Amino acid sequence: MDVATYLTELEQHGVALGDAADAAGMSAPVPTCPEWDVRALLAHIGMVHRWATAQVRDGAAASPAAPFPAPESGVVEWYRDGHATLVQALRDAPDDLDAMRFLADAGPARVFWSRRQAHETAIHRADAESAAGCVPDFDETFAVDGIAELLEGFYGRDSRRLRADPPISMRVAPTDAGTAWLIELTPDAKQITREADGRADCTVSGAATQLYRWLWNRGGEVTIEGDDRACAVWRSTATVRWS
């Protein structure tokens, strides 16, 4: 996917997120993130958008910190303003943007930030829509890209948290895409590779949009075949960290 496509996704998901939050109300609980109400969700994503904007606009000189607290009132408008500002900053950014990146094989900085914020916003759109009693349906290509970013980007980084004793293997196999991922965890190492076919202790399959949400712990109806203990080990071991 190219920058223009990521920015279209970022814009659309951000608008839908704001609409769902407005419909649900600030005090509505967020079923996909039980520790949040809608106001807390908007405070989080509004902060992230402003922090990302600072990284894009200030480049290598940007602060790694994110001190952007939400206001006491008008949180939906504050969120919408931050989202629109981020989209414009990414549209204006040069292709050779020099900015911090924090995922494995992140690629050019402008592509990285456009992709990361598109998926960040899409997943939190799922949170806002869960509060409004809805479930989003993501484009297949975008969902496959999101699975790749999560497995190859976040979990592709060097991390000693991703280990298993005894070893486990798990396939993630979208039924509507010509690719799949094989995850292998041992006591000493991890390996995540793309494999269209292959054997594993368990296979998690479903439409890409369902797997995308399931892998991010946002629901999703998937089929688990084989030893579901391997799946349970993965879900208890794999946690996303930003640094």
Side-chain angles (χ1 to χ4, degrees), residues 39-115:
R39 187 189 188 284
L41 168 63
L42 290 180
H44 168 77
I45 190 63
M47 175 275 294
V48 169
H49 284 169
R50 285 165 171 79
W51 172 71
T53 299
Q55 304 306 311
V56 172
R57 286 189 170 171
D58 298 341
S63 168
F68 301 101
E72 292 299 319
S73 60
V75 180
V76 174
E77 293 75 15
W78 173 83
Y79 157 76
R80 291 189 193 277
D81 180 65
H83 169 251
T85 301
L86 171 61
V87 172
Q88 192 60 52
L90 285 164
R91 291 196 192 284
D92 294 342
D95 288 337
D96 61 350
L97 174 68
D98 179 17
M100 177 266 289
R101 290 158 288 172
F102 55 82
L103 295 186
D105 300 323
R110 185 173 183 237
V111 177
F112 164 77
W113 283 103
S114 300
R115 183 191 200 193

Side-chain angles (χ1 to χ4, degrees), residues 97-218:
L97 174 68
D98 179 17
M100 177 266 289
R101 290 158 288 172
F102 55 82
L103 295 186
D105 300 323
R110 185 173 183 237
V111 177
F112 164 77
W113 283 103
S114 300
R115 183 191 200 193
R116 175 82 289 279
Q117 291 308 302
H119 289 297
E120 175 83 6
T121 304
I123 289 301
H124 287 311
R125 172 194 172 183
D127 295 331
E129 294 202 347
S130 76
C134 303
V135 177
D137 187 27
F138 297 108
D139 172 78
E140 172 197 323
T141 300
F142 181 73
V144 169
D145 185 78
I147 294 169
E149 190 214 34
L150 180 62
L151 296 181
E152 299 168 4
F154 279 102
Y155 297 134
R157 296 180 297 184
D158 182 32
S159 172
R160 298 199 174 276
R161 291 177 292 105
L162 284 176
R163 303 290 188 267
D165 188 7
I168 64 162
S169 60
M170 183 178 84
R171 289 184 71 241
V172 175
T175 54
D176 49 357
T179 192
W181 287 262
L182 177 64
I183 300 163
E184 297 173 284
L185 304 183
T186 72
D188 303 313
K190 73 171 184 307
Q191 185 171 354
I192 300 173
T193 54
R194 288 209 192 199
E195 285 198 8
D197 299 298
R199 297 178 64 86
D201 296 331
C202 73
T203 296
V204 184
S205 61
T209 187
Q210 301 287 355
L211 284 173
Y212 179 49
R213 291 193 294 112
W214 183 84
L215 286 164
W216 276 105
N217 297 314
R218 262 64 180 193

Side-chain angles (χ1 to χ4, degrees), residues 199-241:
R199 297 178 64 86
D201 296 331
C202 73
T203 296
V204 184
S205 61
T209 187
Q210 301 287 355
L211 284 173
Y212 179 49
R213 291 193 294 112
W214 183 84
L215 286 164
W216 276 105
N217 297 314
R218 262 64 180 193
E221 296 180 3
V222 300
T223 299
I224 300 174
E225 299 174 290
D227 186 353
D228 60 5
R229 290 176 299 175
C231 178
V233 169
W234 165 258
R235 288 181 72 80
S236 66
T237 304
T239 55
V240 168
R241 297 181 187 272

